[in-house]
Amino acid sequence: MTALVDVTVEGVGVRAAADRPPSGRAVPDGAGWVLVVHAVRAASGRLVPWDRRDPWGMIWRVPTDLGRFRAVPVTGDAEDASIATAQALESFDGRAFRHLAAKYRAPAVALAVREGNEAAVAIWRNGRTTEWTRVPLGDLTDARAVRLAVTRSIAEDAVGLRPSAAGTGQGEPSGRGSESVRISGWRHRADGGEEYRAVLSVEDRDDAVARLAAEGIEVLSLRDGAGGTEVVLLAPDGGGIEAGLRRAGLRISP
């Protein structure tokens, strides 16, 4: 069984994943459980994450088991709120989701947004395509039934997690389908920026570096490796890097 720890946020106890998922996974690619961030779409259109005053937030107070798949909600603390802001969650900023995945040791992070009588649900996992699905909510007073319905949708998407591919309509590059980048690690710098270790698989290394520079992505180091060109990249303004890589014509590979 997945180990859990209690985290108290403003006097409210929440449960967050703190260890590896069960060894007998029913879902491939290590997604036997998913961390769930809940949010509400306000009437103004603004995303409000982790709103415990809304009935939707009350529904996500406990984990939900579906066979050998588990959805584990997280309320978030001050650190989470400062990094995984509403804007970062809405745009699926890799920095915010990597923070949550690393902190709670989650193989994937689901965003479940209540929009009226429906939930818009999407799963983030580094280097994978993110797509929204919609789930009718029904009676919110039946918390267990609602959690099960949404968890089923999350589980179905988790089973279908797949590598990103050009032409998916998710901001992927066109015309350079054979050129890719694989992110192998990242770290926070003392100045607040972010460095990424990556491997480029490109036809023209100098051209790729120029395209990255045009997107504000600085190449701090570069050397040839057995699997391609090994680089250290600096994200512009300390923000996420995925969108810039795609605009530079590079497909993000797992």
Side-chain angles (χ1 to χ4, degrees):
M1 181 176 291
T2 303
L4 301 173
V5 294
D6 287 329
V7 182
T8 300
V9 182
E10 298 180 4
V12 178
V14 300
R15 293 163 68 80
D19 207 343
R20 294 181 180 273
S23 57
R25 302 186 187 95
V27 181
D29 294 328
W33 69 281
V34 169
L35 191 73
V36 178
V37 176
H38 60 82
V40 174
R41 180 76 62 188
S44 63
R46 182 172 60 94
L47 190 72
V48 183
W50 300 314
D51 186 353
R52 294 184 297 275
R53 299 166 299 178
D54 191 272
W56 184 240
M58 297 297 292
I59 285 173
W60 293 102
R61 294 182 62 185
V62 296
T64 303
D65 291 310
L66 190 68
R68 287 184 290 171
F69 183 87
R70 166 170 277 208
V72 182
V74 59
T75 298
D77 56 20
E79 179 188 33
D80 297 336
S82 67
I83 297 175
T85 62
Q87 181 178 358
L89 293 172
E90 182 104 70
S91 62
F92 282 91
D93 188 322
R95 176 174 177 255
F97 285 88
R98 273 191 299 273
H99 162 79
L100 294 171
K103 180 174 181 178
Y104 298 102
R105 303 182 187 179
V109 181
L111 179 60
V113 183
R114 183 179 71 82
E115 298 181 344
N117 294 323
E118 290 185 323
V121 183
I123 297 178
W124 176 92
R125 195 176 181 194
N126 199 30
R128 305 298 179 104
T129 300
T130 300
E131 297 179 357
W132 289 100
T133 59
R134 293 194 169 272
V135 182
L137 292 180
D139 185 1
L140 290 181
T141 62
D142 191 346
R144 183 174 183 276
V146 170
R147 283 200 312 272
L148 284 173
V150 176
T151 299
R152 286 191 189 97
S153 177
I154 291 173
E156 290 172 0
D157 284 355
V159 171
L161 286 173
R162 58 194 180 278
S164 299
T168 61
Q170 297 293 320
E172 297 291 346
S174 59
R176 286 191 168 96
S178 62
E179 296 196 332
S180 66
V181 57
R182 177 172 58 83
I183 298 174
S184 59
W186 69 290
R187 74 178 184 91
H188 288 290
R189 290 159 51 106
D191 61 6
E194 288 187 354
E195 289 182 8
Y196 295 78
R197 293 192 308 275
V199 177
L200 300 177
S201 297
V202 297
E203 297 177 2
D204 186 331
R205 187 177 70 180
D206 292 339
D207 177 62
V209 170
R211 282 184 273 135
L212 290 169
E215 296 299 332
I217 300 173
E218 184 179 354
V219 179
L220 301 180
S221 69
L222 179 151
R223 70 184 182 91
D224 292 327
T229 302
E230 298 175 0
V231 295
V232 175
L233 307 174
L234 176 62
D237 302 323
I241 202 171
E242 286 91 344
L245 291 173
R246 294 187 178 102
R247 288 194 300 269
L250 296 170
R251 175 175 55 85
I252 300 175
S253 63

